[in-house]
Amino acid sequence: MAKGKTVAFFCQECGYESAKWLGQCPSCKAWNTLVEEPVASAKTARSAPTKRFRNTAEPCRLSEITAGEEERISTGLAELDRVLGGGIVPGSLILVGGDPGIGKSTLLLQICHTLADGRKVIYISGEESLKQIKLRADRLGSFPKELLLMCETSLESIEAAIEKEKPSIVIIDSIQTMYKEEVSSAPGSVSQVRESTGALMQIAKGLGVSVFIVGHVTKEGVVAGPRVLEHMVDTVLYFEGDRYAAYRILRAVKNRFGSTNEIGVFEMREKGLIEVKNPSEYMLNGKPQGASGSVVTCSMEGSRPILLEVQALVCRTNFGMPRRTAAGTDYNRVNLLMAVLEKRAGVRLSDCDAYVNIAGGMKMNEPSLDLGIVMALVSSYRDKAVDEETIVFGEVGLSGEVRGVSMTKQRILEAKKLGFRKCILPKTSMDGLENVKGISLLGVAGVREAIALL
Ligand code: TYD
Ligand code: MG
């Protein structure tokens, strides 16, 4: 940025900064998202990251640092702890993103239940009044008396309150409502969100306070304006799910203190969010009996296998152009698998419409679903149901080969636990499975071999 400049154009989607207006953001390729915003002057911006919170930094030897077992704070919700990598790390900054109304405020208020027990927690809302929070809290059950609530949008006041109270956990309900006085643009704008998060980061690191930040997501599926936020914070969690379905999935997109593949599954009830301890059972609920085109497969989400039902409907096309849709999985992947079936297994799908759906509304993209999708398509095409007690998984390559997948044993054990008796899996993943009893394993090397088992 040139010296003395007071305005710049910011992309509201990703925070890209440009000296002049552009129709398309060069960084995230979104159209019409650049808006003019005043720039925090270099002086205020530099002095702003409140020095009083900073630790004096001096180089020290790695060997002299005693970390020990990282102490973690449990949230009282095992599903959330898992996604966080075992609990909250003191002094970390956690962003919880999601569509409006998905349940972010509910989740964070709910964890105060356990967190505020013997610890100082401040829940700061810029969206709801104290009365509204109280009403919600009443629905969620009884809370420890010590829980502190605050309705505030000015970061300066929040900083002062945190300094005075010295809490161990702070929850900021929606970063889009917060503002810093020295930044002249409106709350929710890129500069405000960036500066506010910067200030909160100073607090988190300087005072060792864990800070949860709620961020709303725009229609495009990124936290409004601030994708900038994603690389400032330690952990990014997204809360997703169909607003109209009861279950919600919490997914870690970034985690400096744990794996990012983990998911947590919840169900929204009248009395708040309930953990779903066995998502496989939940996802297979309502599976049709003896219907063609329905196959159970297994996807690994982090360290946890989840069984799901893949459904396919294949019928003759009425128009020249066959119609294909994919819900809950990658459309292009479905097209590719249909091409493999046509070319490598001789199944004539080119004049058929095909609809593929992951039942239950979950979004899954793991390659091990490939074989399940293939089997569902062929089962529907031939109108022949797959045996009820069979589970299928494996990655399909372009030559029609079935490739190995990771963590085979965990998948098989999960299937066995839910009463499956037969498993069709990649031949190359069969090593070391000799001692798995009670479920018959059929290794296949190619698509042709797999569909012959139908
Ligand atoms: P909320 O946490 O306010 O969403 P966000 O903060 O992400 O915008 O969730 C609001 C929705 O949750 C609302 O549609 C009602 C529903 N809800 C329940 O079903 N049960 C409950 O106990 C609560 C508190 C909310
Ligand atoms: Mg809310």
Side-chain angles (χ1 to χ4, degrees), residues 99-106 136 139-140 216 243 268-272:
D99 293 324
I102 199 86
K104 303 180 291 297
S105 309
T106 309
R136 188 198 295 264
R139 286 176 69 177
L140 296 175
H216 291 297
R243 267 194 83 157
M268 182 63 99
R269 299 254 188 92
E270 291 107 80
K271 291 217 155 96

Side-chain angles (χ1 to χ4, degrees), residues 341 343-347 382 400 402 445-453:
L341 270 177
K343 182 95 179 167
R344 308 288 179 193
V347 184
R382 295 192 186 153
V402 175
V447 178
R448 223 175 240 280
E449 209 177 311
I451 63 178
L453 295 172

Side-chain angles (χ1 to χ4, degrees), residues 21 72 101 127-129 149-150 159 183 207 210 248 261 271 279 283 303-304 320 326 349 381 387 392 407 411 437:
W21 188 82
R72 300 221 182 206
E127 300 194 334
E128 287 160 282
S129 68
L149 297 181
M150 187 173 166
E159 275 173 1
V183 183
L207 299 178
S210 303
R248 304 277 186 272
N261 303 316
K271 291 217 155 96
M283 295 319 290
S303 57
R304 180 159 61 168
L349 291 170
Y381 178 77
D387 173 35
V392 179
M407 300 199 244
R411 296 179 204 247
K437 300 269 176 317

Side-chain angles (χ1 to χ4, degrees), residues 327-362:
T329 187
D330 185 15
Y331 170 77
N332 293 318
R333 192 84 200 159
V334 170
N335 273 332
L336 182 148
L337 293 171
M338 292 181 74
V340 170
L341 270 177
E342 177 114 24
K343 182 95 179 167
R344 308 288 179 193
V347 184
R348 270 192 60 89
L349 291 170
S350 54
D351 52 355
C352 290
D353 290 345
Y355 308 91
V356 173
N357 177 32
I358 306 288
M362 269 224 195

Side-chain angles (χ1 to χ4, degrees), residues 311-323:
Q311 300 183 321
L313 184 65
V314 176
C315 48
R316 195 148 294 280
T317 183
N318 284 321
F319 303 103
M321 265 290 274
R323 205 178 135 76

Side-chain angles (χ1 to χ4, degrees), residues 364-436:
M364 294 283 166
N365 281 320
E366 222 220 311
S368 68
L369 294 187
D370 288 358
L371 196 59
I373 297 174
V374 162
M375 293 293 265
L377 285 165
V378 176
S379 158
S380 175
Y381 178 77
R382 295 192 186 153
D383 202 11
K384 199 165 165 221
V386 177
D387 173 35
E388 295 283 304
E389 299 194 318
T390 304
I391 166 171
V392 179
F393 59 85
E395 182 181 345
V396 173
L398 288 186
S399 329
E401 81 276 20
V402 175
R403 308 172 75 106
V405 295
S406 60
M407 300 199 244
T408 324
K409 196 159 178 184
Q410 280 95 318
R411 296 179 204 247
I412 295 172
L413 293 179
E414 175 78 2
K416 201 175 122 185
K417 201 168 85 195
L418 284 156
F420 288 85
R421 293 277 156 267
K422 203 161 103 183
C423 176
I424 303 180
L425 72 165
K427 200 168 230 159
T428 48
S429 299
M430 295 277 284
D431 298 342
L433 296 176
E434 298 78 21
N435 50 8
V436 181

